[in-house]
Amino acid sequence: MKILVFSDTHLYLPFDQKKFNFLKKIISKSDQVIINGDFFDGYMVNFNDFVNSQWNQLFSLLKSKKAVYIYGNHDKKEFSDKKVSLFSNKQTCQLELKLNNKNFLFEHGQKTRPTPDMMFKISWKNMHYGMIVVHFVRNLFIKIFGKLAVQIIFGHSNNGSKRYIKRNYKPKNNEYYIIGHNHWAEIDEKNHFAASGMILYGFAQYLTIDSMSGKITIHEEWYDR
């Protein structure tokens, strides 16, 4: 069985047909799905508007894959309501999954690397306008410079998270912590760590886990080229 783990799609409006097609493709090829946070961007779109948008064409497919939805910092639990059950079979802040004598612990990862929306009291309105600018600048930079821009912006973001996990969680030999949040996919066996990357700005990184062996694999591609 193939478990798909993706995060940081930051779905908002206007609807992106190319991103939709890509998500539909990788979800369809999986047996189970774990959405590791920031599925929609609550600073960019109202939850009801998201639920009623064309993105809802993914919902029945996600339900058929027994999707687990882990809340992130851009799709906090308080940003949504019981309609999260339209696209997920289970909702949580942390998930534990045992596969082949390995214990996988999933969470979005905002605790491991706090961001301004968590550290300061910023109004939703200010965050909304700020995120419009952030998404625009990042998207433009990545369109021009490609993967180099992705690496410059996000390539070192996992370092602090790994230090936090080592210091505070003290993982055992058979434990692996898998987070999203940092927008850069990575597998670090030494530190019992993996990150699920992002599907954003035309660039996609995500993980699959083989349920029999427990092997984690990173997948990477452009979805708008």
Side-chain angles (χ1 to χ4, degrees), residues 156-169:
H156 301 286
S157 56
N158 287 327
N159 294 340
S161 294
K162 286 191 278 189
R163 288 192 295 269
Y164 180 95
I165 289 169
K166 184 176 181 180
R167 181 174 64 250
N168 293 282
Y169 294 169

Side-chain angles (χ1 to χ4, degrees), residues 193-211:
F193 173 88
S196 48
M198 67 175 181
I199 302 175
L200 192 61
Y201 312 128
F203 183 71
Q205 290 181 320
Y206 59 95
L207 307 177
T208 55
I209 304 175
D210 185 289
S211 63

Side-chain angles (χ1 to χ4, degrees), residues 39 44 52 54 57 66 77 85 115 138 149 156 204 223:
F39 180 48
M44 294 290 289
N52 292 318
Q54 289 173 280
Q57 296 173 73
K66 300 179 175 61
K77 187 174 183 179
S85 63
T115 49
R138 286 176 176 173
H156 301 286
Y223 61 82

Side-chain angles (χ1 to χ4, degrees), residues 12-168:
Y12 56 86
L13 300 175
F15 177 74
D16 184 336
Q17 186 68 52
K18 290 182 179 179
K19 181 185 266 191
F20 170 85
N21 293 342
F22 178 78
L23 286 169
K24 183 178 179 180
K25 179 184 74 171
I26 63 172
I27 294 167
S28 297
K29 290 180 178 179
S30 68
D31 298 297
Q32 185 180 0
V33 174
I34 298 171
I35 305 171
N36 203 5
D38 286 0
F39 180 48
F40 71 97
D41 195 323
Y43 293 119
M44 294 290 289
V45 65
N46 176 276
F47 181 66
N48 284 327
D49 291 339
F50 166 69
V51 167
N52 292 318
S53 73
Q54 289 173 280
W55 292 116
N56 65 23
Q57 296 173 73
L58 288 172
F59 291 2
S60 61
L61 179 59
L62 285 166
K63 289 283 285 188
S64 73
K65 302 299 181 177
K66 300 179 175 61
V68 178
Y69 174 40
I70 299 172
Y71 295 104
N73 59 305
H74 282 248
D75 56 358
K76 300 174 186 177
K77 187 174 183 179
E78 57 264 34
F79 285 178
S80 58
D81 56 38
K82 63 183 181 181
K83 289 191 288 294
V84 293
S85 63
L86 293 172
F87 57 80
S88 57
N89 296 59
K90 179 179 180 179
Q91 305 82 38
T92 184
C93 290
Q94 188 180 72
L95 174 70
E96 183 174 350
L97 189 63
K98 294 185 178 181
L99 300 170
N100 191 35
N101 298 318
K102 296 178 182 178
N103 197 27
F104 295 92
L105 297 166
F106 300 85
E107 60 180 66
H108 180 61
Q110 63 268 43
K111 289 192 299 185
T112 70
R113 188 181 64 84
T115 49
D117 59 301
M118 302 168 58
M119 297 167 63
F120 307 105
K121 290 184 178 180
I122 307 174
S123 69
W124 186 93
K125 183 177 180 180
N126 287 336
M127 277 298 301
H128 174 72
Y129 290 119
M131 288 311 304
I132 290 174
V133 174
V134 167
H135 283 309
F136 175 79
V137 172
R138 286 176 176 173
N139 187 53
L140 181 62
F141 192 38
I142 290 168
K143 292 292 185 193
I144 296 171
F145 297 104
K147 188 176 177 181
L148 175 62
V150 181
Q151 290 176 305
I152 290 171
I153 299 170
F154 304 115
H156 301 286
S157 56
N158 287 327
N159 294 340
S161 294
K162 286 191 278 189
R163 288 192 295 269
Y164 180 95
I165 289 169
K166 184 176 181 180
R167 181 174 64 250
N168 293 282

